[in-house]
């Protein structure tokens, strides 16, 4: 047996072991940076657009009116840096790695067990990406940054607290911390209290008598009760009239999902986020219970741990010696076996065996770490359509129309939100009439499930029930992904009344907590020519760190001579019109757009770009104040924007848009009422491509034999496409089901107006 005095590990081995852990944590930092800053960069940007941080005392006072207000305030402060997603990813990665390192210090784990310290920081990326629409509600933002931040604060408070040896000092400090944390971070005071109770229950010092053991249990029970009682006392003292009792312990976590009753979706929505601290509790409890078996003296604990490790090494050494002796006996008979005898006898160098074992543990740690990182990526929400919607929404803010078109072209199954954004981008680039029907015009991907899958699920098949539930959850996430910037998208389409109404409702409901609300209201006011109203919201945005430049560009536009050009006041209220006229009369315009840009120290080209957006939105605005929408639409079609009765009085560009609107809305009679006169203006095959294809399809529906015999001669591309399409349509009429025909048409004949021939309701499974 080796002597105890020789069990001290060499410093070189200790440093090498620490370097493995340090490199693992550093690699974890870069993995999180990539996850948040690159993979979910557009997602972070959308979150940032649905938050706002103002450097004013009034803004801070407004947040402090709720129990988790300080946490939400800090979250908004951090979230504003996601304006640059890579910077936001660095902040989230720093929080996650800091939590991991503190847990590694708090729960002394080495070897493969070190992997457990990564779990809390991995659960947050998973839990935060699944809630979909709900994370865009500003009062749910603590889930993203706030959860990690609150966990970090609790651990930083807990580490010095547990070092206090005197129980009569620890107890008041713990109770004071619980009472102070609740008004600042809500639920996380309960988390801190339970953590302290576990520490008291598992402390291994001063437990030599039953009286001291009982006192320890009493202290732990007191802290546990206080963790749940103190929040309710605070609630009755401060928030009795303004807060629901059932939400007392939910403050600081994701808001209760009131709209979604689906069990599977709800589980992913707030199950992971709400229960992720539980994994920390369980891990800490397991380690503390294990620590009860270790003597109280730290020096003895360390010696015993070393003895246990090296006892295993000694047993391995004996086995190697036995094999060496066996090899030596065989060497007399076989000279080649003698050469394979170990060059260095492990008995003489147990340190070498320890080093070898350390390397094996390090290799195993890295292998399992890679598996854990892969699981984090796979469990996080990953859908191409989901990412594409957010990338297009971010491009919409920058008016980057080419990016929107490129994103749509790469997605084989466009989401309705992508269709709406694509049509807007085509309109802004002047290509809508040519390319409107190059791609499918709406619907969701039908690849994941089929009607047969749905029928088997209804029959009770467990596998298909799970498959349908997961598909429904994915479908819900993708349907709601466009809600990130929906009210601003309304305004780009010219529906300023709807966009402003939605933004104002949200603004009032969440108390000024989203940049997108201010942008929408300012944009709508600029379209309507309401200068004072626009300035009200722009002055607020000017107080932000990263959106002040956009606000100054808009303020320069308000001072430019072209602000009131083509406002098209359609309101009949004489008093309102008088106010608008008075505003125009006293407006202090700059002499030129360049002078207005110089006033606010912004680029004239940016002001000109904003003016172009406003002018196009004014062109699309309906002739009357219509805000009729049965539900918040995804704007897949240009609906409600045009009145077909105004076709004869409209200019040529607007007539073209009205005909396109008729095709999008499947109003063939309205289209054909004006089509003959419209196409008479063009030479054969030179009419806008999208209108020509729609015209050919409607003529085919009216008369399958003479559809191409009219006065307008279709282009060769349209004729060939229609010939292929007619042949296919005749075939599938007797040989294929509707869903199969729909999928085939989308893939091969999207250039034709397939919507008239194949009913897209086959995608509505639920």
């Amino acid at each position: 047996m080796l002597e105890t005095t020789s069990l001290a590990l060499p410093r070189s081995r200790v440093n090498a072991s620490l370097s493995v852990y340090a490199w693992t944590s550093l690699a974890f930092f870069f993995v999180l940076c990539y996850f948040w800053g690159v993979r979910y960069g557009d997602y972070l940007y959308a979150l940032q657009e649905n938050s706002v941080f103002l450097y004013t005392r009034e803004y801070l006072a407004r947040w402090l009116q709720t129990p988790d207000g300080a946490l939400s305030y800090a979250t908004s402060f951090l979230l504003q840096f996601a304006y640059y997603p890579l910077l936001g990813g660095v902040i989230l990665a720093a929080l996650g790695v800091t939590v991991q390192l503190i847990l590694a210090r708090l729960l002394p784990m080495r070897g493969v067990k070190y992997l457990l310290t990564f779990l809390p920081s991995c659960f947050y990326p998973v839990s935060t990406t699944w809630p979909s629409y709900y994370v865009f509600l500003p009062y749910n933002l603590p889930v993203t940054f706030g959860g990690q931040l609150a966990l970090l604060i609790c651990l930083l408070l807990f580490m010095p607290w547990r070092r206090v040896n005197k129980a009569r000092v620890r107890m008041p400090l713990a109770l004071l911390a619980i009472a102070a944390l609740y008004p600042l971070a809500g639920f996380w005071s309960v988390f801190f209290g339970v953590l302290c109770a576990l520490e008291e229950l598992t402390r291994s010092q001063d437990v030599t008598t039953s009286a001291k053991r009982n006192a320890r249990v009493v202290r732990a029970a007191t802290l546990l009760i206080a963790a749940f009682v103190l929040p309710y006392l605070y609630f009755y003292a401060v928030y009795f009239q303004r807060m629901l009792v059932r939400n007392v312990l939910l403050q600081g976590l994701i808001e209760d999902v009131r709209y979604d009753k689906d069990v599977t979706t709800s589980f992913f929505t707030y199950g992971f986020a709400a229960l992720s601290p539980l994994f920390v509790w369980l891990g800490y409890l397991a380690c503390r219970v294990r620590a009860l078996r270790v003597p109280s003296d730290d020096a003895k604990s360390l010696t015993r741990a070393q003895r246990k490790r090296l006892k295993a090494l000694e047993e391995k050494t004996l086995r190697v010696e036995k094999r060496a002796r066996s090899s030596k006996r065989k060497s007399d008979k076989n000279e080649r076996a003698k050469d394979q005898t170990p060059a260095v006898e492990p008995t003489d160098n147990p340190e070498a065996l320890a080093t070898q074992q350390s390397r094996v543990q390090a290799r195993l740690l890295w292998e399992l770490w890679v598996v854990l990182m892969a699981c984090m990526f796979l469990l996080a929400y990953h859908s191409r359509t989901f990412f594409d919607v957010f990338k297009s929404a971010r491009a919409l803010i920058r008016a980057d129309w080419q990016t929107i078109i490129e994103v749509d072209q790469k997605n084989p199954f466009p989401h309705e939100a992508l269709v709406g954004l694509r049509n807007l981008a085509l309109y802004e680039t002047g290509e809508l009439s040519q390319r409107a029907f190059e791609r499918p015009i709406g619907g969701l991907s039908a690849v994941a499930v089929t009607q047969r899958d749905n029928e088997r699920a209804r029959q009770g098949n467990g596998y298909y029930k799970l498959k349908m539930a997961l598909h429904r959850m994915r479908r819900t996430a993708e349907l709601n992904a466009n809600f990130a910037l929906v009210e601003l998208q309304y305004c780009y389409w010219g529906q300023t009344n709807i966009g402003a109404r939605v933004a104002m409702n949200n603004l009032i409901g969440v108390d000024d907590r989203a940049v997108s609300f201010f942008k929408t209201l300012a944009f709508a006011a600029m379209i309507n020519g309401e200068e004072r109203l626009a300035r009200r919201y722009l002055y607020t945005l000017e107080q932000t760190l990263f959106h002040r430049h956009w606000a100054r560009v808009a303020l320069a536009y308000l001072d430019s001579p072209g602000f009131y050009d083509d406002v098209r006041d359609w309101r009949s209220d004489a008093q309102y019109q008088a106010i608008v006229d008075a505003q125009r009369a006293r407006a202090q315009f700059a002499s030129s757009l360049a002078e207005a840009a110089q006033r606010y120290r912004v680029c004239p080209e940016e002001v000109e770009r904003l003016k172009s957006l406003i002018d196009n939105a004014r062109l699309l605005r309906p002739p009357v104040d219509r805000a009729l929408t049965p539900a918040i639409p995804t704007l897949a079609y240009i609906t409600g924007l045009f009145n077909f009765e105004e076709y004869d009085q409209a200019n040529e560009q607007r007539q073209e848009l009205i005909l396109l609107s008729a095709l999008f809305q499947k109003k063939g009679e309205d289209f054909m009422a004006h089509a003959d006169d419209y196409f008479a203006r063009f030479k054969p095959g030179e009419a806008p491509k999208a209108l020509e294809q729609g015209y050919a399809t409607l003529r085919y529906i009216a008369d399958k034999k003479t559809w191409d015999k009219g006065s307008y001669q279709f282009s060769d591309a349209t004729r060939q496409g229609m010939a292929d399409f007619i042949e296919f349509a005749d075939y599938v009429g007797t040989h294929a089901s509707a869903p199969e025909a729909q999928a085939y048409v989308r893939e091969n004949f999207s250039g034709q107006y397939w919507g008239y021939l194949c009913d897209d309701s086959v995608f509505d499974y639920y």
Side-chain angles (χ1 to χ4, degrees):
M1 294 290 292
L2 297 174
E3 294 295 329
T4 303
T5 55
S6 66
L7 296 180
L9 298 177
R11 178 173 293 274
S12 60
R13 277 192 55 216
V14 174
N15 292 339
S17 179
L18 290 177
S19 66
V20 171
Y21 303 131
W23 280 109
T24 307
S25 298
L26 183 62
F28 184 53
F29 173 81
F30 287 107
V31 167
L32 287 180
C33 285
Y34 173 79
F35 182 93
W36 287 115
V38 179
R39 180 179 173 85
Y40 276 85
D42 297 315
Y43 177 87
L44 273 188
Y45 184 86
L47 287 178
Q48 171 271 147
E49 284 288 319
N50 282 269
S51 175
V52 68
F53 185 84
L54 304 178
Y55 295 86
T56 62
R57 293 182 179 179
E58 294 78 8
Y59 183 74
L60 174 61
R62 189 179 304 160
W63 274 109
L64 294 182
Q65 295 176 6
T66 58
D68 60 343
L71 176 62
S72 299
Y73 182 81
T75 299
S76 297
F77 172 77
L78 295 177
L79 191 54
Q80 68 177 327
F81 296 102
Y83 182 84
Y84 301 105
L86 191 58
L87 179 58
V90 169
I91 294 174
L92 278 172
L95 289 174
V97 172
T98 305
V99 168
Q100 182 264 321
L101 291 176
I102 291 178
L103 288 176
R105 183 178 181 84
L106 191 62
L107 311 174
M109 294 180 176
R110 289 295 181 263
V112 178
K113 292 185 293 184
Y114 188 73
L115 194 71
L116 298 177
T117 62
F118 293 93
L119 291 180
S121 297
C122 289
F123 279 122
Y124 267 100
V126 174
S127 61
T128 307
T129 57
W130 270 103
S132 176
Y133 161 61
Y134 304 104
V135 296
F136 299 114
L137 302 179
Y139 43 76
N140 281 339
L141 292 178
V143 177
T144 309
F145 285 81
Q148 293 271 49
L149 182 63
L151 178 58
L152 179 60
I153 293 172
C154 290
L155 294 178
L156 289 176
L157 289 175
F158 179 71
M159 289 185 68
W161 175 86
R162 69 193 293 263
R163 294 180 179 273
V164 179
N165 292 324
K166 296 181 179 180
R168 63 176 179 270
V169 178
R170 285 199 310 272
M171 289 297 292
L173 287 178
L175 294 174
L176 180 62
I178 294 172
L181 271 177
Y182 183 74
L184 298 177
F187 161 84
W188 295 94
S189 66
V190 182
F191 171 79
F192 180 80
V194 175
L195 209 58
C196 292
L198 291 176
E199 169 67 18
E200 285 291 342
L201 185 64
T202 58
R203 286 183 77 89
S204 58
Q205 299 177 1
D206 301 330
V207 293
T208 56
T209 65
S210 60
K212 290 183 178 181
R213 286 195 293 269
N214 293 337
R216 183 183 62 184
V217 174
V218 170
R219 290 196 300 270
T222 302
L223 290 175
L224 189 62
I225 294 172
F228 290 93
V229 171
L230 287 180
Y232 281 95
L233 294 178
Y234 194 90
F235 160 73
Y236 281 107
V238 181
Y239 296 104
F240 183 71
Q241 297 295 331
R242 294 186 295 157
M243 193 170 151
L244 295 176
V245 177
R246 65 183 177 87
N247 287 334
V248 172
L249 299 180
L250 291 178
Q251 298 301 123
L253 294 176
I254 190 170
E255 183 77 5
D256 185 25
V257 181
R258 294 161 293 179
Y259 313 108
D260 196 339
K261 304 302 181 184
D262 181 74
V263 176
T264 307
T265 305
S266 298
F267 172 76
F268 280 103
T269 300
Y270 56 86
F272 271 135
L275 296 179
S276 52
L278 180 62
F279 293 100
V280 182
W281 294 343
L282 294 177
Y284 184 76
L285 177 61
C287 291
R288 295 304 299 169
V289 170
R290 180 178 178 275
L292 286 176
R293 302 177 182 176
V294 182
S296 59
D297 185 17
D298 291 339
K300 292 181 179 179
S301 300
L302 182 61
T303 303
R304 179 177 177 179
Q306 290 177 343
R307 186 184 298 111
K308 184 177 180 180
R309 289 197 302 269
L310 291 184
K311 183 179 179 181
L313 292 176
E314 182 185 1
E315 293 176 353
K316 183 175 181 180
T317 302
L318 293 175
R319 290 195 300 269
V320 173
E321 288 178 344
K322 185 177 180 180
R323 288 197 300 268
R325 287 192 298 268
S326 176
S327 298
K328 189 174 181 180
R329 286 194 301 267
K330 292 180 180 179
S331 64
D332 297 335
K333 298 181 180 180
N334 191 341
E335 195 66 36
R336 300 171 71 181
K338 182 178 179 181
D339 296 336
Q340 297 178 359
T341 304
V344 180
E345 298 233 351
T347 309
D348 299 333
N349 192 6
E351 186 177 313
L353 284 177
T355 302
Q356 181 182 4
Q357 184 186 32
S358 177
R359 291 175 179 173
V360 171
Q361 288 184 344
R363 185 168 61 251
L364 182 59
L365 171 64
W366 272 89
E367 291 174 356
L368 294 178
W369 181 87
V370 171
V371 172
L372 178 62
M373 297 302 101
C375 290
M376 183 182 74
F377 275 85
L378 293 176
L379 289 176
Y381 189 87
H382 57 287
S383 165
R384 178 170 185 169
T385 301
F386 186 72
F387 289 123
D388 285 349
V389 168
F390 288 117
K391 187 172 184 178
S392 296
R394 184 180 175 192
L396 174 67
I397 296 294
R398 305 192 306 267
D400 186 357
W401 311 118
Q402 194 59 41
T403 296
I404 294 175
I405 295 174
E406 291 175 358
V407 169
D408 173 77
Q409 289 292 333
K410 294 178 182 178
N411 194 316
F413 302 102
H415 181 279
E416 291 179 350
L418 289 177
V419 174
L421 289 169
R422 178 192 73 204
N423 291 339
L424 178 59
L426 291 176
Y427 168 75
E428 292 288 348
T429 55
E431 299 180 325
L432 182 61
S433 299
Q434 290 293 338
R435 303 175 58 184
F437 301 124
E438 285 185 357
R439 301 267 290 151
I441 61 173
L444 292 171
S445 170
V447 174
V449 298
T450 63
Q451 288 280 29
R452 186 175 300 175
D453 295 339
N454 190 26
E455 294 173 359
R456 291 177 178 176
R458 291 178 178 176
Q459 293 172 359
N461 187 301
Y463 169 77
Y464 289 101
K465 287 176 66 176
L466 178 61
K467 182 178 181 180
M468 295 299 294
L470 293 175
H471 175 66
R472 187 182 300 112
M473 184 165 51
R474 173 185 174 184
R475 186 173 184 265
T476 301
E478 294 185 355
L479 277 173
N480 292 321
N482 61 297
F483 279 74
L485 301 169
V486 63
E487 64 280 334
L488 185 58
Q489 193 176 347
Y490 277 125
C491 290
Y492 277 119
W493 279 108
Q495 293 185 327
T496 55
N497 189 313
I498 303 175
R501 185 186 66 185
V502 173
M504 181 58 72
N505 289 342
N506 292 333
L507 191 72
I508 296 172
V510 298
D511 205 11
D512 301 359
R513 296 179 186 175
V515 166
S516 65
F517 303 160
F518 290 105
K519 281 187 176 181
T520 299
L521 292 170
F523 200 89
M526 286 187 285
I527 294 174
N528 292 338
E530 299 166 327
E531 178 191 4
R532 287 189 175 182
L533 186 61
R535 291 184 186 275
R536 171 186 173 185
Y537 302 113
L538 292 174
Y539 288 150
T540 300
L541 285 177
E542 200 178 14
Q543 300 177 57
T544 62
L545 183 60
F546 296 108
H547 298 279
R548 61 180 60 179
H549 182 76
W550 186 91
R552 289 170 181 170
V553 170
L555 288 170
Y557 167 72
L558 292 179
D559 285 354
S560 66
F563 168 60
Y564 281 120
D565 295 346
D566 300 325
V567 173
R568 294 184 69 225
D569 296 314
W570 37 257
R571 295 177 183 265
S572 58
D573 189 337
Q575 182 179 4
Y576 173 83
Q577 189 62 50
I579 294 175
V580 173
D581 293 339
Q583 289 177 348
R584 292 181 177 182
R586 62 173 176 268
Q588 299 297 321
F589 292 125
S591 60
S592 64
L593 185 146
E595 180 185 341
Q598 187 177 5
R599 287 183 183 180
Y600 294 92
R601 298 186 298 277
V602 295
C603 180
E605 287 76 13
E606 293 179 337
V607 183
E608 183 64 41
R609 190 179 304 115
L610 178 63
K611 181 180 183 300
S612 175
L613 291 176
I614 298 294
D615 291 342
N616 287 339
R618 287 171 174 173
L619 176 64
L620 288 174
R621 199 171 68 175
V624 295
D625 183 12
R626 282 186 283 178
L628 304 177
T629 50
I632 298 179
T634 55
L635 300 178
Y637 315 109
I638 308 178
T639 57
L641 297 179
F642 302 104
N643 186 350
F644 297 109
E645 296 177 357
E646 66 167 328
Y647 178 86
D648 295 331
Q649 291 76 34
N651 58 38
E652 185 173 346
Q653 182 182 10
R654 193 167 182 81
Q655 286 181 345
E656 186 176 286
L657 293 174
I658 291 173
L659 291 176
L660 275 174
S661 178
L663 292 179
F664 275 117
Q665 299 177 59
K666 299 185 180 181
K667 295 184 178 180
E669 294 182 359
D670 291 315
F671 180 90
M672 295 302 291
H674 307 286
D676 292 337
D677 294 336
Y678 176 80
F679 283 96
R681 308 172 188 172
F682 298 94
K683 295 179 180 179
E686 294 186 358
K689 180 180 177 182
L691 296 179
E692 183 181 86
Q693 291 177 350
Y695 189 39
T697 307
L698 288 172
R699 288 180 61 87
Y700 173 76
I701 292 174
D703 190 341
K704 291 181 173 55
K705 295 182 179 180
T706 61
W707 67 272
D708 59 343
K709 305 300 183 183
S711 57
Y712 176 77
Q713 299 298 312
F714 297 104
S715 64
D716 293 339
T718 298
R719 289 176 179 276
Q720 182 61 44
M722 286 297 296
D724 296 341
F725 183 76
I726 291 170
E727 180 181 356
F728 172 76
D730 292 339
Y731 173 79
V732 300
T734 56
H735 295 84
S737 64
E740 293 171 348
Q742 175 77 318
Y744 190 86
V745 170
R746 282 177 179 243
E747 182 178 354
N748 297 283
F749 297 96
S750 58
Q752 306 304 317
Y753 194 47
W754 53 264
Y756 280 98
L757 301 178
C758 294
D759 182 11
D760 53 5
S761 64
V762 297
F763 289 89
D764 298 328
Y765 295 128
Y766 316 112

